[in-house]
């Protein structure tokens, strides 16, 4: 492209921009589908310990990130993935904060949860029907400020990127831990979640791969012992 063509193209772009209605910056920043990464980086938060020293050492916040979405990618439910987040859920209930499970694929095994320290009176199960109701319930709970942790499972319908961003923003607004289980095939898709871990069953252990974390390194792998009481032992709900 020569100089004359460049000038002509720049002139056309300027004319197009002039024809667009002006949008104040502050108005743009209030849109729920815009994530202000710069502000997020200026406000570091201390995480909630995972209960696993090796995993805490890999995470930039030395635990599960507060006020953020954490994606746990699992190909098959019931491999002990709940065991991974139980210490944090128990800690939330000990702090007298509510823990909400939305559409879990299995009936939670109450005796094992209690043995792990979860105060069952602070545990709430929700079964909204349809993706729209599920998204609404999750967003309301996350931003309420009354919920210490929310665990959700991706259903048959995949949430759009803008919906994942809404949940991320709601978790931040309510300073809530958000664990979102998704199929392992989602690993190849970009996500606004602050932390992404892929989980596999490896014999008596749970294999983890750190796919993404804000302000930290990724790519590390880790093996954790599984609790047999918390692997698959109930019939699926769906």
């Amino acid at each position: 492209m020569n100089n004359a063509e460049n000038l002509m193209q720049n002139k056309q772009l300027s004319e197009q921009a002039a024809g667009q209605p002006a949008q104040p910056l502050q108005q743009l920043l209030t849109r729920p589908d815009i994530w202000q990464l710069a502000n997020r980086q200026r406000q570091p938060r201390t995480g909630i310990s995972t209960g696993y020293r090796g995993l805490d050492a890999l995470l930039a916040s030395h635990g599960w990130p507060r006020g953020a979405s954490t994606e746990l990618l699992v190909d098959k439910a019931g491999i002990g993935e709940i065991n991974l987040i139980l210490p944090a859920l128990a800690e939330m209930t000990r702090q007298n904060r509510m823990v909400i499970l939305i559409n879990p694929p299995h009936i939670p095994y109450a005796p094992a949860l209690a043995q792990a320290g979860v105060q069952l009176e602070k545990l709430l199960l929700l079964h909204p029907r349809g993706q729209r109701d599920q998204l609404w319930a999750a967003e309301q709970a996350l931003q309420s400020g009354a919920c210490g942790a929310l665990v959700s499972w991706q259903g048959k319908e995949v949430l759009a990127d803008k919906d994942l961003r809404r949940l991320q923003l709601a978790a931040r607004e309510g300073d809530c831990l958000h664990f979102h289980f998704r199929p392992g095939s989602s690993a190849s898709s970009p996500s606004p979640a602050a932390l992404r871990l892929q989980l596999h069953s490896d014999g008596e252990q749970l294999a983890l791969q750190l796919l993404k974390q804000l302000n930290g390194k990724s790519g590390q792998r880790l093996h954790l012992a599984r609790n047999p009481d918390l692997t698959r032992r109930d019939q699926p709900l769906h």
Side-chain angles (χ1 to χ4, degrees), residues 2 15 28 39 46 50 54 56 66 72 96 113 116 121 126 139 150 159 174 181-183 206 208 216 225:
N2 56 40
E15 290 173 351
L28 287 173
N39 288 345
T46 304
T50 65
D56 285 348
R66 291 176 182 267
L72 301 171
N96 207 31
L113 296 179
E121 65 274 16
L126 297 180
E139 188 174 19
L150 183 138
L159 289 178
F181 286 101
R182 302 182 68 188
L206 186 65
L208 285 70

Side-chain angles (χ1 to χ4, degrees), residues 34-127:
I34 293 181
W35 186 29
Q36 299 180 52
L37 176 61
N39 288 345
R40 176 69 176 82
Q41 291 176 328
R42 285 197 295 267
Q43 299 174 11
R45 299 182 179 206
T46 304
I48 297 291
S49 174
T50 65
Y52 301 92
R53 188 174 300 176
L55 181 55
D56 285 348
L58 294 180
L59 301 179
S61 56
H62 306 293
W64 301 118
R66 291 176 182 267
S69 292
T70 293
E71 285 188 5
L72 301 171
L73 310 182
V74 188
D75 283 326
K76 184 178 182 182
I79 62 172
E81 67 274 16
I82 291 297
N83 193 31
L84 182 63
I85 61 174
L86 263 188
L89 301 186
E91 176 60 23
M92 287 296 103
T93 61
R94 281 195 293 269
Q95 294 180 12
N96 207 31
R97 302 192 69 184
M98 187 66 70
V99 170
I100 298 177
L101 311 182
I102 296 185
N103 282 339
H106 301 277
I107 300 173
Y109 187 56
L113 296 179
Q115 187 176 9
V118 176
Q119 298 181 22
L120 299 181
E121 65 274 16
K122 291 294 180 184
L123 191 66
L124 178 65
L125 272 66
L126 297 180
H127 295 286

Side-chain angles (χ1 to χ4, degrees), residues 158-202:
V158 180
L159 289 178
D161 186 70
K162 65 177 183 179
D163 295 327
L164 294 173
R165 291 182 185 279
R166 284 173 56 186
L167 296 180
Q168 167 80 15
L169 290 172
R172 179 167 179 76
E173 183 176 344
D175 194 24
C176 183
L177 295 175
H178 176 214
F179 298 105
H180 186 50
F181 286 101
R182 302 182 68 188
S185 58
S186 304
S188 58
S189 303
S191 168
L195 176 64
R196 304 185 86 194
L197 290 172
Q198 189 150 31
L199 313 180
H200 296 285
S201 173
D202 187 7

